[in-house]
Amino acid sequence: MRALVQTVSRASVTVDDAVVGSIEGGLLVLVGVTHTDVLATAQTLARKVHELRILPDEKSAADVGAPLLVVSQFTLYGDARKGRRPTWIAAARPEAAEPLIEAFCQHLRDRGAVVETGRFRTHMLVESVNVGPHTVMLEI
């Protein structure tokens, strides 16, 4: 699994003109799943994201109770090394990825995190106001 984590003052996801998830003062987390990922991968990534010390004063979301907006992002596994058209062959199929994204979110919630989400398999409009900006790529 891969996660692109950004510090934001606010972020939201809109589907069909309705906001389905939004946060203020936390982390926007774009998450991609590959073929070899399992539930343990989701749990490990959730812990790392929650404890990632990229907030002010080297604090984590776990330290300060910052909310997280999690958005499934299969394009994190895009490969454009050859030519100009990326391939997403390394991304897991939706039926395999969706349960792992849900498990990732549940592990965060089990840790006490406030988690908002996008909507899987829909066209989403993701808006964010980055702070810093601080952006970190994690891969498990």
Side-chain angles (χ1 to χ4, degrees):
M1 290 181 86
R2 290 180 178 165
L4 182 73
V5 183
Q6 298 180 314
T7 55
V8 296
S9 62
R10 67 180 180 274
S12 64
V13 176
T14 302
V15 176
D16 295 330
D17 296 322
V19 175
V20 297
S22 67
I23 62 166
E24 292 196 19
L27 301 176
L28 172 61
V29 185
L30 306 177
V31 180
V33 178
T34 192
H35 308 290
T36 57
D37 292 331
V38 295
L39 288 174
T41 313
Q43 183 174 16
T44 299
L45 185 61
R47 179 187 52 77
K48 287 196 66 102
V49 167
H50 198 222
E51 295 177 0
L52 186 63
R53 295 168 46 177
I54 63 170
L55 295 171
D57 299 320
E58 294 188 11
K59 300 288 186 184
S60 69
D63 293 332
V64 300
L68 299 99
L69 176 59
V70 177
V71 180
S72 175
Q73 189 73 40
F74 76 91
T75 60
L76 289 177
Y77 278 98
D79 183 353
R81 289 178 289 182
K82 295 182 180 179
R84 295 173 291 139
R85 183 180 301 150
T87 177
W88 288 280
I89 199 161
R93 303 257 330 132
E95 41 290 336
E98 187 172 13
L100 291 175
I101 297 291
E102 290 173 0
F104 173 79
C105 292
Q106 187 58 52
H107 287 304
L108 287 169
R109 290 181 180 112
D110 291 347
R111 296 176 58 81
V114 173
V115 179
E116 294 281 322
T117 65
R119 190 170 296 154
F120 203 85
R121 289 181 124 173
T122 63
H123 180 77
M124 297 178 274
L125 300 176
V126 180
E127 295 182 271
S128 66
V129 177
N130 295 11
V131 175
H134 295 115
T135 302
V136 175
M137 175 69 90
L138 298 174
E139 185 164 13
I140 303 297

